[in-house]
Amino acid sequence: MAITIAVDAMGGDHGPSVTVSAVFDFLRRESDCAAIMVGREDDLRPLLVEVGQEFGERLRLHHASEVVGMDEAVATALRNKKDSSMRVMADLVKDGTADAGLSAGNTGALMAISRFVLKTLPGIDRPAIAGILPTSKGHTYVLDLGANVDCQPEHLQQFGIMGSLLVSALEHKERPSIGLLNIGEEDIKGNEVVKRAADLLRISDLNFYGNVEGTDIWKGTTDVVVCDGFVGNVLLKSSEGLAQMIYGALKQEFSRNIFTKLSALAALPVIKAFKRRFDHRAYNGAGLLGLKGIVFKSHGSADAFAFRCALQRAAEAARERLPEKIAQRMAAVAPTPTLCD
Amino acid sequence: MAITIAVDAMGGDHGPSVTVSAVFDFLRRESDCAAIMVGREDDLRPLLVEVGQEFGERLRLHHASEVVGMDEAVATALRNKKDSSMRVMADLVKDGTADAGLSAGNTGALMAISRFVLKTLPGIDRPAIAGILPTSKGHTYVLDLGANVDCQPEHLQQFGIMGSLLVSALEHKERPSIGLLNIGEEDIKGNEVVKRAADLLRISDLNFYGNVEGTDIWKGTTDVVVCDGFVGNVLLKSSEGLAQMIYGALKQEFSRNIFTKLSALAALPVIKAFKRRFDHRAYNGAGLLGLKGIVFKSHGSADAFAFRCALQRAAEAARERLPEKIAQRMAAVAPTPTLCD
């Protein structure tokens, strides 16, 4: 069965110059997939005409007159731009024309629009953003990365369920392990919300590992790490900042003088292998989970390779009918038992 | 005036094998300082006898029969080990025999014992742990790193005040800039506690920069970054984990085969310069702020160089009479004005 992805072709720092070539590459690799490029026809048609022919019906253009700016207020994007490429992309997922949507635009606006258009699944109080981080073993999924900044224990439990099903869908793992991000492994550690969330996760039928600490994320201790969106967002941004600082310093040291530059030349294969190993582009594509439809978010600065990786994740979630699985799972969850305080 | 530091000589992963040589080095460098080595006399005397002579009265031994284990429960350490080297170190600060104390032992036990023995300063609800992180510009102070996991806005405001005074004392900066860790720079971002804390910090007479994000920590945007202890602890541990993963991978790539090993040889001066630049040992020594006395915490795995750096920080805080300054500042703070909700 063909999978159709609606693509916000205008979103991200680079817009069509990245999204178009990424979609070409995606369609060449995934012969069961189709794409609808959503955005200004005048901008897109010239880019699609020549190469696009080879995909025939698998590549379509859907005009949308407006664009949501990267720094635009969420309220403006939601209320005043009903014909934005982001909004129309979500509309196409809603009406079933597309099986999934992808945007590299403003995260806040994408979450607000997706939630408004698609609505949340029964049993899910709040949708969450699930991203992927590299580990020394491979990679791990972390949620929430910033959609929810005042979580209750029940929300963290729901994140655990959604994260488990996401990893099952994308990695074909039967029972992914779930860790709860905390400041110590012992049960007595942490704030009240996290302690109660641990109780809820423990009595769920998830493969709950228990508490994990900040170091465990990079060790790959569990397949999924669950946390409040405030913590997840700080974690994500501080990790990006630290990695940039380390790489920047390494580069600076290697370019200090003629001798260090020569040694950089000698070390080039090593440096390349090292960079390949933690190529964050391969981890691009965060799922907006808990909605009645599939929407993925690409990093705003994604290049064509990174954007194509996100397209493939969105397609895989659609093939695996992720929202239906989350809905079934939530229907099976008995109303949360009240724990003795 | 001489500054005397009480040293928990038994604490940390390495105990006296590190603390003793660090203290020798410290006393050689800081001629106005004295040290009291607290711990088992049988263990310490042999180590101190020979070299220790050169310091005369500046180096003393104070027997304490017990040791708090690195993984020991806080309650056990506090209630059942009244003659532990950690507890006696705090007692010596309390009774004025020492101007400051330092331990590389169990953080939870150190905070509990210090708080129990020394008590908190008037106006401070909760002591906080303030550590130092390297940035691309130099370094920045972050608090709280894990003492308080359910902070109210007033606590974050107090952390701002204490952090500001700590940086003034240790770095001799007049008005250090204070950033509030958040998930976006805009005022509307963040959870309720952080938003209200920003209001309190804005109306204080601190040099309040505003919200900072995870990336700003490593950019060195502000001299101090204030956050809840849950967030700070996750941040600290995940940063340690990420840096270890990156260094580990670099090492692995360089030792893959004979060619990469040769290139490592060529790149050795660069690698050394790079390692020196982010030598975390130089940042060792976190302050337990808000107590009626000075206690610093060394990293458990500190070597003699790192432990000596922490000794110097504790001595500098004592020279600058940090607790008195915090007390004066808190007395000058008008009772927090009630903000309209």
Side-chain angles (χ1 to χ4, degrees):
Chain A
M1 196 196 89
I3 298 292
T4 302
I5 313 285
V7 180
D8 169 7
M10 315 303 288
D13 300 341
H14 311 298
S17 69
V18 156
T19 57
V20 169
S21 58
V23 164
F24 288 166
D25 190 22
F26 168 70
L27 292 177
R28 275 182 204 120
R29 285 161 183 267
E30 309 288 333
S31 56
D32 69 334
C33 290
I36 306 173
M37 299 298 281
V38 185
R40 287 200 205 103
E41 190 165 353
D42 290 351
D43 291 341
L44 293 174
R45 189 164 298 281
L47 297 170
L48 296 178
V49 159
E50 262 186 56
V51 183
Q53 304 286 0
E54 76 179 84
F55 305 111
E57 280 300 298
R58 288 170 61 214
L59 179 63
R60 277 180 287 159
L61 171 58
H62 192 111
H63 178 64
S65 60
E66 294 169 306
V67 175
V68 171
M70 287 306 274
D71 295 315
E72 193 153 333
V74 171
T76 319
L78 186 61
R79 291 189 208 130
N80 306 345
K81 291 202 166 169
K82 294 191 179 157
D83 198 38
S84 73
S85 55
M86 192 186 273
R87 173 68 172 266
V88 174
M89 174 275 286
D91 289 336
L92 291 171
V93 176
K94 167 77 182 171
D95 70 18
T97 310
D99 302 294
L102 175 67
S103 173
N106 179 334
T107 311
L110 180 63
M111 182 49 109
I113 287 174
S114 303
R115 198 173 169 172
F116 177 79
V117 171
L118 296 168
K119 313 296 179 210
T120 49
L121 287 166
I124 297 294
D125 298 320
R126 301 182 181 187
I129 302 175
I132 309 172
L133 293 176
T135 71
S136 48
K137 282 186 202 166
H139 57 266
T140 194
Y141 289 73
V142 182
L143 76 165
D144 172 40
L145 290 181
N148 309 283
V149 295
D150 270 311
C151 288
Q152 294 303 310
E154 293 73 20
H155 302 140
L156 297 178
Q157 183 197 27
Q158 291 166 18
F159 298 170
I161 295 171
M162 295 194 291
S164 174
L165 291 166
L166 177 71
V167 174
S168 288
L170 299 188
E171 313 270 332
H172 309 287
K173 275 198 181 181
E174 192 90 9
R175 277 169 61 74
S177 56
I178 313 291
L180 179 64
L181 191 58
N182 203 336
I183 63 168
E185 286 175 19
E186 311 83 354
D187 293 346
I188 54 149
K189 291 274 180 148
N191 58 28
E192 287 312 309
V193 169
V194 167
K195 281 189 228 173
R196 285 176 46 216
D199 291 336
L200 292 177
L201 285 163
R202 210 169 287 119
I203 58 171
S204 74
D205 62 355
L206 294 172
N207 178 10
F208 181 53
Y209 173 88
N211 289 330
V212 292
E213 296 186 76
T215 40
D216 288 300
I217 298 168
W218 312 105
K219 285 183 195 158
T221 305
T222 54
D223 298 313
V224 178
V225 173
V226 167
C227 59
D228 175 280
F230 189 94
V231 175
N233 194 273
V234 166
L235 170 76
L236 183 72
K237 288 182 182 157
S238 82
S239 304
E240 281 181 6
L242 175 57
Q244 270 166 18
M245 180 178 83
I246 295 177
Y247 292 141
L250 199 58
K251 210 169 160 181
Q252 216 171 32
E253 291 299 340
F254 267 123
S255 51
R256 203 168 276 284
N257 57 44
I258 181 74
F259 302 107
T260 59
K261 279 177 188 161
L262 282 172
S263 70
L265 214 62
L268 205 61
V270 172
I271 295 168
K272 276 190 175 164
F274 170 68
K275 280 180 79 173
R276 227 180 0 253
R277 195 154 154 175
F278 297 123
D279 188 350
H280 61 90
R281 300 178 305 159
Y283 305 110
N284 189 39
L288 272 52
L289 304 182
L291 300 169
K292 289 181 184 166
I294 298 170
V295 176
F296 270 66
K297 160 81 177 98
S298 159
H299 203 290
S301 67
D303 64 5
F305 170 73
F307 198 81
R308 192 256 293 163
C309 291
L311 279 163
Q312 289 179 296
R313 290 209 163 85
E316 193 57 21
R319 279 189 200 103
E320 295 285 327
R321 302 180 162 280
L322 183 59
E324 283 171 46
K325 286 187 178 161
I326 294 177
Q328 280 165 15
R329 186 66 181 62
M330 291 313 299
V333 172
T336 307
T338 310
L339 293 167
C340 300
D341 285 327
Chain B
M1 195 196 94
I3 297 292
T4 302
I5 312 285
V7 180
D8 169 7
M10 315 304 286
D13 298 341
H14 311 298
S17 69
V18 156
T19 58
V20 169
S21 58
V23 164
F24 290 166
D25 190 22
F26 168 70
L27 292 176
R28 275 183 204 119
R29 285 162 182 266
E30 310 287 332
S31 57
D32 69 333
C33 290
I36 306 173
M37 300 299 281
V38 184
R40 287 199 204 105
E41 190 165 354
D42 291 351
D43 291 341
L44 293 174
R45 190 164 296 281
L47 297 170
L48 296 178
V49 158
E50 262 186 57
V51 183
Q53 305 284 2
E54 75 178 84
F55 305 110
E57 279 300 298
R58 289 170 60 216
L59 179 63
R60 279 180 285 158
L61 171 58
H62 191 112
H63 177 66
S65 61
E66 293 169 307
V67 175
V68 172
M70 289 303 276
D71 295 316
E72 193 153 332
V74 171
T76 318
L78 185 62
R79 291 190 207 129
N80 306 345
K81 291 203 167 169
K82 294 190 180 157
D83 199 38
S84 72
S85 55
M86 191 187 275
R87 172 68 172 267
V88 174
M89 175 274 288
D91 289 337
L92 292 171
V93 176
K94 166 77 181 170
D95 69 18
T97 310
D99 303 293
L102 175 67
S103 173
N106 180 332
T107 311
L110 181 63
M111 181 49 108
I113 287 173
S114 303
R115 198 173 169 171
F116 177 79
V117 172
L118 297 167
K119 312 298 178 208
T120 51
L121 288 166
I124 297 294
D125 298 320
R126 300 181 181 190
I129 303 174
I132 310 172
L133 293 177
T135 71
S136 48
K137 284 185 203 167
H139 57 267
T140 195
Y141 289 74
V142 182
L143 76 166
D144 173 40
L145 290 182
N148 309 283
V149 295
D150 270 310
C151 288
Q152 293 305 310
E154 293 72 21
H155 303 140
L156 297 178
Q157 183 198 25
Q158 291 166 18
F159 298 169
I161 295 170
M162 297 194 290
S164 174
L165 291 166
L166 176 71
V167 174
S168 288
L170 298 189
E171 312 270 333
H172 310 286
K173 275 199 181 181
E174 192 89 8
R175 278 170 59 72
S177 57
I178 313 292
L180 179 64
L181 192 58
N182 203 335
I183 62 166
E185 287 176 18
E186 311 83 356
D187 294 347
I188 54 152
K189 291 275 179 144
N191 57 30
E192 288 312 309
V193 169
V194 167
K195 281 190 228 174
R196 283 175 50 214
D199 292 336
L200 293 176
L201 286 163
R202 210 170 285 120
I203 58 171
S204 74
D205 62 354
L206 294 172
N207 178 11
F208 181 52
Y209 172 89
N211 290 330
V212 293
E213 297 187 75
T215 40
D216 289 298
I217 298 168
W218 311 103
K219 284 183 195 159
T221 305
T222 55
D223 297 314
V224 178
V225 173
V226 167
C227 59
D228 174 280
F230 190 94
V231 175
N233 193 273
V234 166
L235 171 75
L236 182 73
K237 288 182 183 158
S238 82
S239 304
E240 281 181 7
L242 175 57
Q244 271 166 18
M245 179 178 85
I246 295 177
Y247 293 140
L250 199 58
K251 210 168 161 181
Q252 217 172 34
E253 291 300 339
F254 268 122
S255 50
R256 202 167 278 284
N257 57 45
I258 181 73
F259 301 106
T260 59
K261 279 177 190 162
L262 282 172
S263 70
L265 215 61
L268 205 61
V270 173
I271 295 167
K272 276 189 176 164
F274 171 69
K275 280 180 81 173
R276 227 179 1 251
R277 194 155 155 174
F278 297 123
D279 187 351
H280 61 89
R281 300 177 308 159
Y283 306 110
N284 190 38
L288 271 53
L289 304 182
L291 300 168
K292 290 180 184 167
I294 298 171
V295 177
F296 270 67
K297 161 79 177 97
S298 159
H299 203 289
S301 67
D303 64 7
F305 170 73
F307 198 80
R308 192 256 293 163
C309 293
L311 280 162
Q312 290 179 294
R313 288 210 164 83
E316 193 58 21
R319 280 190 199 101
E320 296 284 328
R321 302 180 162 281
L322 183 60
E324 283 170 47
K325 286 187 178 160
I326 294 175
Q328 280 164 14
R329 186 65 181 62
M330 290 314 298
V333 171
T336 307
T338 311
L339 293 168
C340 301
D341 285 327

